[in-house]
Amino acid sequence: SIRQNKIEGVIQEELSMFFQRNAREICLGAMVTVTIVRVTSDLSLARCYISIFAGPDKKEVLENIKINTGKIRGDVGKRLKNMRKIPELLFFIDDSLDYAMTIDELLKKK
């Protein structure tokens, strides 16, 4: 729905800003980009797909982000005062860029 799309966009923007501000402690110095946010129809759950560049191991960064999910959700909630309930955040690594690069390299070989 239109409302879901708006909320997804706002959450994506706020998460991006949060990761920029707290890159050193939350992202372990890595550059984290929020590629896609998908919110369920009842607005209770948000699946956040992130790309991780230039830093420690991606799984290590993702684990640290998952550990700090409560802090991230609290910060996003403070910034989105007009929303009554902030969805629960789930983080996943978005490997679509890696997949695209692999396909691109395979095509170049032929």
Side-chain angles (χ1 to χ4, degrees):
S1 70
I2 295 170
R3 183 163 185 240
Q4 269 178 288
N5 291 341
K6 284 183 180 179
I7 290 172
E8 288 169 354
V10 170
I11 290 174
Q12 182 175 354
E13 206 172 291
E14 286 302 325
L15 284 174
S16 297
M17 295 296 289
F18 179 84
F19 288 138
Q20 279 181 354
R21 285 191 306 270
N22 302 299
R24 190 164 285 134
E25 62 184 64
I26 303 288
C27 307
L28 306 175
M31 188 178 113
V32 175
T33 307
V34 183
T35 51
I36 303 171
V37 174
R38 291 283 173 247
V39 178
T40 55
S41 57
D42 63 350
L43 308 178
S44 65
L45 187 72
R47 289 183 184 85
C48 309
Y49 294 88
I50 56 176
S51 291
I52 302 168
F53 306 101
D57 184 47
K58 290 181 180 186
K59 289 180 182 168
E60 193 179 321
V61 175
L62 182 64
E63 278 306 308
N64 197 46
I65 289 172
K66 284 182 178 180
I67 289 168
N68 290 295
T69 299
K71 182 180 180 185
I72 296 168
R73 184 177 178 205
D75 193 77
V76 169
K78 285 178 191 168
R79 297 190 165 281
L80 302 177
K81 292 183 177 114
N82 56 347
M83 281 185 68
R84 199 174 309 140
K85 185 173 180 267
I86 303 302
E88 186 180 327
L89 303 174
L90 294 179
F91 292 98
F92 302 96
I93 290 180
D94 183 14
D95 54 2
S96 61
L97 289 173
D98 298 334
Y99 183 69
M101 279 192 204
T102 307
I103 290 176
D104 197 40
E105 298 212 0
L106 288 172
L107 289 172
K108 285 180 182 175
K109 286 181 183 176
K110 289 187 176 185

